[in-house]
Amino acid sequence: MKRMIALAFFLVSFSIAGVAIEAATDGSVDLKNDWPAISLNERTVRELLDNKADVYLIDFWASWCEPCLESLPFYMSELKKMNLTNWTLVAVNVDAEKSAALDFLKKIQLPTWVLFDEKRKLANKMNVTSIPVLYFVNRKGEILKIEKGFTKKSKEIFRKNVEAVKSML
């Protein structure tokens, strides 16, 4: 019993520390109907629906999330460096108030889709339990990989996951 409690404590601590974890899931998302309707920048949801990316990187974040300040720009930069032109980053905010997300966006520029998941519809469907969390989703809506948290190790895990997902296409 003590071992089980110690293991549970370790796993919770591991999760709270924001350590990146890679995993695959059998879940899926409806890329036509599940996107949040509220855009927080000039990129419209209509444009996103017309986008025919091979891979969508769906990143859930909030304004109070310190690792999100680093993870979002990192993902944008890596997509550009790796010349992943047919991959699309979609930053989905889960703040309680839209104004908090807008204040956060003044700190970083995101030339991608930034959506506000006001009622956490997409976050709930994708079982988001902590942030930041990044989902690799193919054009069929199948979730291929998940990365939870963001630390120094996350950068290397991200690159490995990109290569793994590229080999799945």
Side-chain angles (χ1 to χ4, degrees):
M1 183 68 174
K2 287 182 181 180
R3 280 187 169 170
M4 288 177 52
I5 292 170
L7 178 60
F9 179 77
F10 172 77
L11 291 175
V12 169
S13 299
F14 194 74
S15 175
I16 292 170
V19 176
I21 302 168
E22 58 180 306
T25 181
D26 294 331
S28 66
V29 61
D30 182 342
L31 295 173
K32 294 285 186 212
N33 297 309
D34 287 340
W35 295 119
I38 301 170
S39 176
L40 295 176
N41 61 3
E42 304 81 43
R43 308 290 302 264
T44 68
V45 177
R46 170 61 35 211
E47 290 173 318
L48 179 58
L49 290 171
D50 293 340
N51 185 323
K52 302 292 184 217
D54 290 329
V55 176
Y56 293 88
L57 299 172
I58 304 173
D59 185 63
F60 289 89
W61 63 280
S63 62
W64 46 264
C65 170
E66 288 294 323
C68 297
L69 276 171
E70 187 179 350
S71 66
L72 288 166
F74 170 77
Y75 298 139
M76 288 300 305
S77 172
E78 286 299 298
L79 289 174
K80 190 174 184 177
K81 275 192 234 176
M82 298 171 105
N83 198 27
L84 298 171
T85 54
N86 215 22
W87 290 42
T88 298
L89 176 64
V90 182
V92 179
N93 179 269
V94 293
D95 274 308
E97 297 292 327
K98 185 166 79 169
S99 59
L102 292 170
D103 288 343
F104 180 93
L105 291 172
K106 291 176 186 173
K107 298 175 189 173
I108 60 173
Q109 297 297 314
L110 292 175
T112 190
W113 283 272
V114 183
L115 306 178
F116 181 58
D117 197 4
E118 183 177 32
K119 298 190 186 318
R120 295 185 51 88
K121 177 184 166 190
L122 183 60
N124 289 336
K125 178 169 185 161
M126 296 181 78
N127 298 315
V128 173
T129 57
S130 64
I131 58 170
V133 61
L134 179 70
Y135 290 80
F136 292 76
V137 178
N138 68 15
R139 69 172 46 196
K140 296 176 188 175
E142 300 166 328
I143 299 170
L144 305 174
K145 292 275 185 187
I146 302 170
E147 290 181 24
K148 294 182 179 183
F150 192 81
T151 66
K152 290 179 183 179
K153 290 181 181 180
S154 299
K155 294 177 180 183
E156 187 56 36
I157 291 171
F158 174 79
R159 292 178 186 112
K160 287 178 182 177
N161 280 336
V162 165
E163 293 305 315
V165 170
K166 283 169 54 177
S167 71
M168 293 178 194
L169 302 177

